[in-house]
Amino acid sequence: MAERLTGHTELVGLIAYPIRHSSSPAMHNEAFAYLGLDYAYLAFEVDNSTLEDAVKGIRALKLVGSNVSMPNKTVVGKYLDKLSPAAELVGAVNTIVNKNGVLEGHCTDGIGYMQSLKDYDIDVIGKKMTIVGAGGAGTAIEIQAALDGVAEMSIFNIRDKFWDNAQETVRKINEKTNCKAKLFDLADKDALRAEIESSYLLANSTGVGMKPLEGQTWLPDASYLRPDLIVTDTVYAPAETEFLRIAKQVGCKNMNGFGMMLFQGAAAFKLWTGQDMPIEHMKEVLGIKYGE
Ligand code: NAD
């Protein structure tokens, strides 16, 4: 008889829509099984119209917690009891932890990005970074990097619907952290060159480079990079974007978005179970290679 799931098994959810394509259930269930933890992780199709009931369900059914993805990340906070400093500042929750009926909201995307840098021996603390993009992924990275001690941050964005959010993020960083943040229009190529030149790390947090913008990059050309610049991308499909292809050509140490994806999961896993995700095992099983 199968013994994997019993009457004692604890459940972790994932509430989003669409969500059937997600790799998170495979990742967390593999980690539970590998460590012999009596937990299961299941995805539930929940959008904004059923979100409040789903959160009530987490309480009523005593789930250990849940991941939260689109379109619920920026909405779910109002149904929770507490928010972590990062979730509060980012204005988004990707992880719920149920502490005896008290639901805490966390944002582990930025933690995942910062941890993936560490795992790859990149130390941006006390230094300057330039980051392009101020959407969901960008904001999480920017806030966490500032909270963790990045000294200076130059954020570039196009003048689209995310511009106001970028301004708000810069305001929050300068007001609530010791990091000095500035916002630039991505159309200002002189500023882009100057800010990259004085940075230790350059990050892409836009979807430029993945479908439908695969093969494209906002980077004008390779002359903006130098071999000792660290270059990272949040995109992991494809594993090598046009941006990373150019960085590799220049000889930059570089990293794609697999690391952020893995470590945001590891941070949530730790919050639910108190245990470290078996990172090296996960990299092997999931075939993850994120840096060169
Ligand atoms: P989003 O829609 O919230 O933000 C999109 C950002 O891209 C905005 O800053 C927008 O201004 C910018 N942008 C859009 N079109 C642009 C263009 N043509 N030129 C320049 N900038 C442009 O998206 P998101 O959720 O922040 O996701 C962004 C990327 O990060 C996606 O590729 C996503 O797959 C990836 N991501 C990765 C992880 C991970 O764990 N590795 C997590 C979240 C998101």
Side-chain angles (χ1 to χ4, degrees):
M1 198 171 92
E3 287 177 6
R4 168 78 179 89
L5 302 180
T6 70
H8 297 282
T9 305
E10 301 277 9
L11 182 61
V12 180
L14 164 59
I15 50 177
Y17 186 84
I19 200 55
R20 295 293 175 208
H21 63 282
S22 170
S23 49
S24 290
M27 174 167 77
H28 287 288
N29 285 317
E30 174 63 32
F32 294 148
Y34 184 78
L35 294 178
L37 298 175
D38 196 5
Y39 287 73
Y41 184 109
L42 282 180
F44 299 100
E45 289 183 326
V46 173
D47 63 14
N48 288 176
S49 69
T50 50
L51 183 58
E52 186 172 6
D53 285 344
V55 173
K56 283 183 182 160
I58 291 172
R59 270 199 198 88
L61 301 175
K62 299 187 177 155
L63 266 60
V64 170
S66 182
N67 270 142
V68 182
S69 195
M70 297 313 282
N72 303 322
K73 279 183 165 184
T74 54
V75 183
V76 75
K78 64 182 176 212
Y79 303 127
L80 306 178
D81 303 306
K82 271 180 163 177
L83 295 179
S84 72
E88 180 94 49
L89 283 173
V90 173
V93 167
N94 80 331
T95 302
I96 299 172
V97 182
N98 184 358
K99 289 205 174 145
N100 299 318
V102 177
L103 299 189
E104 291 179 0
H106 295 257
C107 178
T108 68
D109 287 327
I111 295 172
Y113 176 79
M114 295 304 288
Q115 194 61 39
S116 70
L117 294 182
K118 249 190 217 162
D119 186 57
Y120 199 39
D121 292 330
I122 297 169
D123 184 10
V124 69
I125 304 308
K127 300 184 182 128
K128 172 171 176 174
M129 67 184 277
T130 290
I131 176 164
V132 179
T139 307
I141 291 172
E142 288 147 13
I143 294 289
Q144 194 64 48
L147 286 172
D148 285 2
V150 164
E152 263 186 85
M153 190 182 306
S154 294
I155 301 173
F156 285 79
N157 211 86
I158 55 175
R159 292 217 177 234
D160 65 354
K161 63 175 179 176
F162 291 95
W163 181 259
D164 290 353
N165 184 59
Q167 281 184 315
E168 187 57 15
T169 299
V170 165
R171 189 191 63 72
K172 284 183 203 165
I173 289 176
N174 287 328
E175 208 177 284
K176 309 264 181 190
T177 78
N178 293 324
C179 177
K180 297 197 178 7
K182 279 189 197 159
L183 175 62
F184 298 88
D185 189 336
L186 187 57
D188 185 348
K189 300 303 174 211
D190 291 340
L192 184 65
R193 190 183 287 281
E195 295 311 302
I196 294 173
E197 249 170 41
S198 54
S199 289
Y200 165 79
L201 182 150
L202 172 64
N204 173 44
S205 75
T206 76
V208 182
M210 72 176 275
K211 276 190 183 129
L213 303 173
E214 196 162 345
Q216 300 184 27
T217 173
W218 42 260
L219 187 74
D221 60 64
S223 72
Y224 283 67
L225 308 182
R226 55 177 202 279
D228 70 342
L229 182 71
I230 308 285
V231 172
T232 73
D233 206 321
T234 53
V235 175
Y236 53 84
E240 183 185 283
T241 55
E242 177 63 8
F243 178 53
L244 289 190
R245 191 190 66 74
I246 297 172
K248 284 179 195 177
Q249 238 176 24
V250 173
C252 306
K253 183 164 179 166
N254 62 88
M255 200 174 88
N256 67 28
F258 271 129
M260 176 173 173
M261 196 263 287
L262 178 62
F263 284 99
Q264 62 76 30
F269 188 88
K270 178 97 182 185
L271 286 167
W272 297 319
T273 66
Q275 305 238 13
D276 291 324
M277 186 179 261
I279 292 295
E280 294 310 316
H281 172 74
M282 301 313 297
K283 283 183 192 167
E284 208 178 297
V285 169
L286 301 172
I288 286 180
K289 188 169 175 287
Y290 63 89
E292 270 187 25

